[in-house]
Amino acid sequence: MRHIDHVISGHSGGPNGSGGGSGRSHKVWNPSTGEVQAEVPLGDADLLAKAVEVAKKVQPEWAATNPQRRARVMFEFKRLVEENKQALAELLSSEHGKVVDDAHGDVQRGLEVIEYACGIPQALKGEYTQGAGPGIDVYSMRQPLGIGAGITPFNFPAMIPMWMFGMAIAAGNAFILKPSERDPSVPVRLAELFVEAGAPEGLLQVVHGDKEMVDAIIDHQDIAAISFVGSSDIAQYIYSRGTANGKRVQAFGGAKNHGIVMPDADLDQVVNDLAGAAFGSAGERCMALPVVVPVGEDTADRLREKLIPAINALRVGVSTDKDAHYGPVVTPEHKQRIEQWIDTAEKEGAEVVIDGRGFSLQGHEDGFFVGPTLLDRVTTKMESYQEEIFGPVLQIVRAKDFEEAVRLPSEHQYGNGVAIFTRNGHAAREFAHRVNVGMVGINVPIPVPVSYHSFGGWKRSGFGDIDQYGQEGLRFWTKTKKVTQRWPDGLGGGGDGSNAFVIPTMG
């Protein structure tokens, strides 16, 4: 059985080649076959302390390296990831279950943030005001925090780590990554490629673990900032405990993204977009679109009529099947959880139009497959609507008019993403302005912002005030120092000092 280890001091295998940690381990499945393919050790506070000591030694010199030289490391890392993209996608696919083409997208969206980080010399420039007062200049500079940590989810094992460590390291920080123990191999490989790109050993380290490691990260006094993506309950826990420990924390949680379909929408395009947004990656995306809200009964009936054959035509296959639209879910426990949510929806009164429970793929009967599921007549009072299912399940919630369509995502506990499908520019503009959600798509089903903007949801989808990547990411991983300076001319004339006890003004 394959063994996946920590990466400390830039070497897989941890200090002196030993894994270290708690002595506990976690199974890594092959979701397509239902077999255990590897094991990963679960670290503890002692292991984290070793990683922090390494980071403390390497970070000051890295921060003192000029931004242009740091950018060259990012450029070389980008080149190496591109060179190894196929192998990374296949490795990712084998542990997560998403099809290889989708895994390529996972890697690519992370690389786009690395591309942005390559421009760190420009992004880091501060501000300067000459003559803010008599002989006084004011300027600002951005400086790294020291050591940052990232706690990342299973659903994007390449993209989200690169979102975090790309910006943090380019800004001059050292970084400790705790990836999901469900699919940890790609983060380990990224750390190895980072050293190969010319980064100092120990600048990017990977520690594996569960709640014990998470708590150790939250409580370690030398870790200045934590970035997290995962469930909302854990996000709130990390944010609350981390900020109580004096850390800067951004913690992104769950989602229940809605797709509003206006009566004038191009339904053929909507169906095509919904199929990918709801069922791509088996629905295991925080920006998936699991709720469609047709406005008016006629729109709902027409949409449903077109959705049924489109969903029935979806091909579920192993992760290496080039013709498959999506693959298995990540673990047997997650498969069971999704099917339980379909049970719950049915008991609550939802109409099961297409049932994906009990799906079995010939020749891979032990794989963790869930068939595409369509639920109609879902209401806001149903628990299956209120909570995140995180699987290949699309729910239809019918809205009587535009006002109700705005209200549904606005009042939901999650506020990650939302989309509206319409040909009416006024309706789209009004919706984008009024809806209480952090990321909005207009005829775009998965509105993940490009790397030079920023990613972040509202309400229980995001805890903290600063978003991921882009200029927001730079703000998160740096602190701004403000300098007010005056250079006396040495000619006297300083006055009698009577004004020294009055707060200075620039008026």
Side-chain angles (χ1 to χ4, degrees), residues 106 110 151-153 155-165 229 286 468:
D106 190 328
I151 302 169
T152 57
N155 59 327
F156 285 100
M159 181 183 78
I160 295 177
M162 284 194 275
W163 281 6
M164 295 178 183
F165 73 69
V229 176
C286 63
Q468 293 256 20

Side-chain angles (χ1 to χ4, degrees), residues 215-483:
D215 286 345
I217 290 171
I218 296 171
D219 294 338
H220 200 294
Q221 62 181 3
D222 291 323
I223 293 177
I226 300 171
S227 184
F228 169 82
V229 176
S231 71
S232 289
D233 288 344
I234 304 302
Q236 186 170 13
Y237 168 76
I238 290 173
Y239 180 76
S240 300
R241 185 162 165 174
T243 54
N245 286 337
K247 301 185 189 307
R248 185 176 292 186
V249 181
Q250 54 177 193
F252 298 96
K256 196 77 172 187
N257 306 323
H258 293 53
I260 312 305
V261 181
M262 297 297 291
D264 66 339
D266 181 342
L267 291 189
D268 291 329
Q269 184 64 53
V270 169
V271 168
N272 183 67
D273 287 345
L274 282 176
F279 301 106
S281 196
E284 295 171 315
R285 296 171 176 159
C286 63
M287 287 297 285
L289 212 164
V291 178
V292 60
V293 182
V295 176
E297 287 294 325
D298 177 67
T299 306
D301 291 341
R302 289 187 293 118
L303 179 64
R304 170 172 161 158
E305 183 179 351
K306 287 179 176 289
L307 274 172
I308 291 172
I311 294 173
N312 282 330
L314 292 176
R315 179 185 174 101
V316 183
V318 296
S319 58
T320 54
D321 183 350
K322 294 183 179 180
D323 295 322
H325 293 99
Y326 72 86
V329 299
V330 67
T331 63
E333 293 82 8
H334 193 54
K335 170 183 167 71
Q336 182 181 24
R337 178 180 179 272
I338 294 166
E339 293 187 338
Q340 286 176 343
W341 272 121
I342 300 171
D343 292 343
T344 298
E346 186 175 34
K347 291 174 183 175
E348 290 176 322
E351 179 188 353
V352 182
V353 182
I354 300 174
D355 193 345
R357 290 172 292 187
F359 183 92
S360 179
L361 187 66
Q362 185 176 1
H364 296 84
E365 287 80 7
D366 294 329
F368 313 140
F369 297 96
V370 179
T373 298
L374 178 64
L375 305 174
D376 196 1
R377 306 290 176 181
V378 175
T379 70
T380 59
K381 294 182 180 180
M382 295 179 181
E383 187 182 8
S384 57
Y385 165 79
Q386 296 164 3
E387 299 295 337
E388 185 176 37
I389 296 176
F390 218 60
V393 180
L394 177 61
Q395 297 175 299
I396 300 175
V397 180
R398 298 171 179 236
K400 64 180 182 295
D401 54 29
F402 177 76
E403 291 299 321
E404 185 177 11
V406 175
R407 179 175 57 81
L408 288 174
S410 296
E411 293 182 353
H412 201 282
Q413 65 168 328
Y414 298 121
N416 209 42
V418 69
I420 184 170
F421 300 93
T422 182
R423 291 185 175 97
N424 186 316
H426 174 73
R429 184 177 185 274
E430 187 76 4
F431 181 83
H433 177 72
R434 291 172 52 189
V435 71
N436 186 26
V437 174
M439 292 173 281
V440 180
I442 298 174
N443 298 312
V444 176
I446 305 178
V448 178
V450 293
S451 62
Y452 42 91
H453 287 265
S454 296
F455 177 99
W458 293 357
K459 296 177 285 188
R460 281 183 55 77
S461 292
F463 298 85
D465 300 320
I466 305 180
D467 288 344
Q468 293 256 20
Y469 63 75
Q471 282 298 113
E472 286 281 282
L474 185 67
R475 285 180 56 209
F476 182 78
W477 294 112
T478 58
K479 51 192 174 185
T480 305
K481 182 176 287 182
K482 287 72 61 177
V483 180

Side-chain angles (χ1 to χ4, degrees), residues 7 10 165 169 175-177 190-191 194-195 200-206:
V7 180
F165 73 69
I169 291 176
F175 198 85
I176 297 172
L177 172 65
L190 291 175
F194 207 68
V195 173
E201 293 183 353
L203 189 65
L204 172 59
Q205 300 177 87
V206 180

